[in-house]
Amino acid sequence: MSVQNFLARVVERCARRAVLVVLAGLILAAGAAGIASHRLGISTDTDALFASSLPWRQRKIAFDRDFPQFHDLIVAVIDAKVPEEAEATAASLAAAMSADTAHVRTVSRPEASPYFRTNGLLFLSKEELGPLLDRTIDAQPFLGQLVADPSARGLFAALSLIGMGVERGAADPASFGAPLQAFHATLASVLDGSPRPLSWQSLLGGSLAEKAGPYRFVLIQPKLDYSSLEPGGAATEALKAAALKLEFVASGDAHVRITGNVPLADEEFATVAQGAVAGLVGSLVLITLWLFLAVRSWRLIIPILLTLVLGLVLTTGFAAIAVGTLNLISIAFAVLFVGIAVDFAIQFSVRFREMRLHLPTTDLALAATARRAGIQVLIAAVTTAAGFLAFVPTSFSGVAQLGLIAGVGMVFAFICTLTFLPAALSLLQPRAEHGEVGLTSLRPVDGVIHRFRLVILAGSGLLAVAGAVGVPFLTFDADPLHTKDPTTQAMVTLRDLMANPLTNPYTIDVVAPNLTDADAIAQRAATLPLVAQALTLQSLVPTDQQAKLALIADAASILAPTLTSRTAPATVTPADLRLATRTAATGLVRATAKLPADSPLAQIAADLAKLQVAPDPVLVAANQALTRFLPAQLDQLRAALSAQPVSLESIPADITQQWMLQDGRARVQITPKPGASGGPGLITFVDQVSAAVPDSGGSAVTIIATARTIIGAFRNAAIGAIVMIALILFAALRRITDVALVLAPLLLSALLTVVVCLALPLPLNFANVIALPLLLGVGVSFNIYFVMNWRAGEPSNLASPTARAVIFSALTTGTAFGSLALSQHPGTASMGKLLLISLGCTLLSTLIFVPALLATLRRQPADRHQTVK
């Protein structure tokens, strides 16, 4: 029995037992839905997208196991108008989140360690340290007054001393220019009604205070819920709520922004979901419209939609049994299933309409449809399934899982199309047709294509050559950040951090057998052109300590008596402040008599004149603004001047464990220069370091290795898919020529897609590369229909029912893809665009190139030896 006759018999029996088949389909659907509801989950863990056997994945797994503190982080980035406000905000936020054990596992502030507070001066070069200590010693009289009375009263008394020195010619006001300008700015802000606190850190540290950068960090490891679309969403919301309660955040003087791999992933999922419901509803409305235009009857539309739903539910049930948990890529199987399975149903239904035009009953028309179109749908389903299943052996687990589910889904789609759909049609009994089913308006176009077939073939050949030449220029964007919404807070914050090598997230980590080897690796890596710095635990031990400690000891011997507070100052009152203001203003007026009116000292004298007649609340506000952060900075100065020799043993355990493991292995962190923070520069940076240190890992290596894994997986899968498809086509069609007729337009559509992508331009990326397997599936299906019609003696191409089915199938599929192209998420939008481009190129090849190609060939109808058995 031939395959055609077997399929016809199956359809006949399903039509005769329509009620039983439909009930069986509903029971199967209910069972599959029940299995899916209990066993199918979704994991948003991006690490699960790649096989754990990959070398770079093994290094990442080992690093995450050895240094868990760097994995799954929410990073709160704090900036403020003055550094002390950022410090206070970071400290308060860390305390608040540490208390939130419901959402948080660990909280840390690396830069706030007492180790760095005490030994910070030792990390300066001698050229930086000497002038800093000299300036501090020069300010000794000023500091002595502030230590004795750390209030505005003491500050005004110190200003009086400066004024006295200027008046006597013993002091140059220019040497106090920056501090005096800062005092004036703070006093002016108080008088304007918007007090801005004075930064004593910037005042005493000068330009060296900027070395710490504008940001302070709180690192939070949240409790993640991978069953949620946003695993870290609850912790992020708790962090935002805690930040809003902080003093300087509430006043607008400090800002807390959130980034890190956890919020980046969460925001991506949220962006993908944004507008998804509206897009889905709109797509369903348009798809229903296209189905109506294709088949013109609700008695056909309902069976098609029920067949699609049944196939999708059965495929979902298989996914629940076969994989259990979907990943972020395999969840797209539903879109792929509907996009291709709808073609099978439309082809069968349109052919049924054609047969119903010539045959008196539904059952006869169904059998004839199965005999004519069943084998075409079968070959399309098998080749499409083979294309998807070719991805299963790859190391790209996300697409491998998708290939397995979608490949088996094509089998379900075929079975449902040849069993459930005929049964549903038999029950609903669509009315007989009264006119041609094909697109008769396109019959003249067939003539035009036939007449200009050589021109079309030549033009197609030129475009194919252009695409082949352009393939090497088709870029793959290896940066996953480019597929994310650049306007989200996590992305904007990350971009700001990337500008600084100290906070650049694209680092390379190496775990060496011991610290000696780690230091050797760091020295070797530091010589590479794109490496900004290479750090180990040894980097936290200051160099040239003896000389620096001598400078610090000299300064401490001079400043120690000054910085020692002997008695607690009396509590300052508004009356005390007013008296101090009046005294300082009088002294400064005399001192500035010969100074320009715009000199900082003269401006302060004017400020004090206004302040002495201001209400008490203004005086209190001035005291708060001028001296709020003074005691803490004096404590910091005392701590810094008490520095002692430092060794590896001096480094606290909480810092050591970030760089060394208990078994002696040591971590090396290598950061890139600004030019290597993305794109080709990042690739070169990774290649340079990997060549020098083969066992490199870290975020930069992961990004590049991920891209190369994806490219390799799709290359190998594409080759495997084409080989399997060719073998299946040869087994079915039995002629190499016919196989070439199916594959040639597929190749042309792929090369046309390359041309369009280069012209736009639209680079491949992690998201849109999923369009490639769909291009194989849809392209093979469309081409098979026309080639097999040509073998069967079909007199027309574009005016045929097959063309009608192909066009409306493409419209339904394109509508689903169009909703993706309009997404707010750049990755999803690029995927939708590439899907539309590949679908358009496939349709162009099928409807223009294939008829022109077939018109040039002499038809060789299949004989009994060439019929599929």
Side-chain angles (χ1 to χ4, degrees), residues 203-254:
L203 200 64
L204 297 178
S207 60
L208 294 180
E210 300 175 1
K211 280 184 171 290
Y215 304 117
R216 302 297 180 268
F217 301 93
V218 178
L219 308 183
I220 300 162
Q221 283 188 306
K223 294 180 178 178
L224 299 177
D225 177 13
Y226 284 118
S227 65
S228 169
L229 188 62
E230 298 180 44
T236 300
E237 290 304 315
L239 174 59
K240 291 179 180 178
L244 290 175
K245 298 176 182 177
L246 301 180
E247 175 188 356
F248 295 117
V249 174
S251 66
D253 294 318

Side-chain angles (χ1 to χ4, degrees), residues 675-686:
S677 59
L682 184 63
I683 296 175
T684 305
F685 167 66
V686 170

Side-chain angles (χ1 to χ4, degrees), residues 300-325:
L300 287 166
I301 294 175
I302 291 178
I304 290 174
L305 293 177
L306 290 177
T307 301
L308 281 178
V309 171
L310 174 61
L312 182 58
V313 172
L314 291 177
T315 303
T316 305
F318 166 78
I321 296 172
V323 301
T325 302

Side-chain angles (χ1 to χ4, degrees), residues 303-364:
I304 290 174
L305 293 177
L306 290 177
T307 301
L308 281 178
V309 171
L310 174 61
L312 182 58
V313 172
L314 291 177
T315 303
T316 305
F318 166 78
I321 296 172
V323 301
T325 302
L326 299 175
N327 58 52
L328 292 172
I329 291 180
S330 60
I331 196 173
F333 82 89
V335 175
L336 297 184
F337 178 89
V338 172
I340 298 178
V342 72
D343 173 65
F344 301 163
I346 290 177
Q347 282 290 342
F348 190 92
S349 299
V350 170
R351 290 299 187 90
F352 167 76
R353 289 185 60 202
E354 180 187 18
M355 296 303 170
R356 193 68 180 86
L357 178 65
H358 304 292
L359 297 173
T361 66
T362 297
D363 290 350
L364 290 174

Side-chain angles (χ1 to χ4, degrees), residues 388-609:
F388 283 125
L389 292 174
F391 288 86
V392 173
T394 67
S395 298
F396 189 7
S397 302
V399 172
Q401 195 180 89
L402 173 66
L404 175 64
I405 299 170
V408 174
M410 293 301 97
V411 177
F412 284 128
F414 169 74
I415 294 173
C416 292
T417 301
L418 270 291
T419 57
F420 185 85
L421 180 58
L425 291 173
S426 180
L427 287 178
L428 292 180
Q429 291 290 318
R431 295 189 179 122
E433 299 292 332
H434 300 290
E436 288 192 49
V437 176
L439 298 172
T440 56
S441 59
L442 294 181
R443 186 167 284 120
V445 180
D446 274 327
V448 173
I449 291 175
H450 186 274
R451 191 161 53 250
F452 294 100
R453 60 189 182 278
L454 297 180
V455 175
I456 293 172
L457 293 178
S460 299
L462 290 175
L463 288 173
V465 170
V469 172
V471 168
F473 300 97
L474 189 63
T475 59
F476 185 91
D477 188 349
D479 192 341
L481 297 182
H482 293 167
T483 65
K484 303 179 187 293
D485 185 352
T487 63
T488 63
Q489 184 185 93
M491 274 299 300
V492 172
T493 305
L494 184 61
R495 291 293 184 194
D496 290 343
L497 298 180
M498 289 172 62
N500 188 337
L502 295 177
T503 55
N504 191 329
Y506 290 157
T507 60
I508 290 179
D509 290 300
V510 183
V511 179
N514 51 62
L515 185 56
T516 301
D517 289 347
D519 290 335
I521 291 172
Q523 291 175 7
R524 189 162 67 248
T527 63
L528 298 175
L530 290 179
V531 171
Q533 61 181 359
L535 304 175
T536 68
L537 182 64
Q538 189 66 49
S539 305
L540 303 185
V541 178
T543 59
D544 203 7
Q545 291 189 45
Q546 185 174 359
K548 296 176 185 176
L549 286 170
L551 293 174
I552 295 173
D554 289 342
S557 66
I558 298 172
L559 293 172
T562 301
L563 294 175
T564 301
S565 180
R566 294 176 176 80
T567 57
T571 303
V572 67
T573 65
D576 296 332
L577 293 172
R578 197 178 304 279
L579 176 60
T581 301
R582 184 179 301 112
T583 302
T586 302
L588 290 181
V589 168
R590 292 195 306 268
T592 58
K594 297 181 180 180
L595 295 178
D598 59 351
S599 68
L601 203 58
Q603 291 175 323
I604 291 175
D607 295 333
L608 294 177

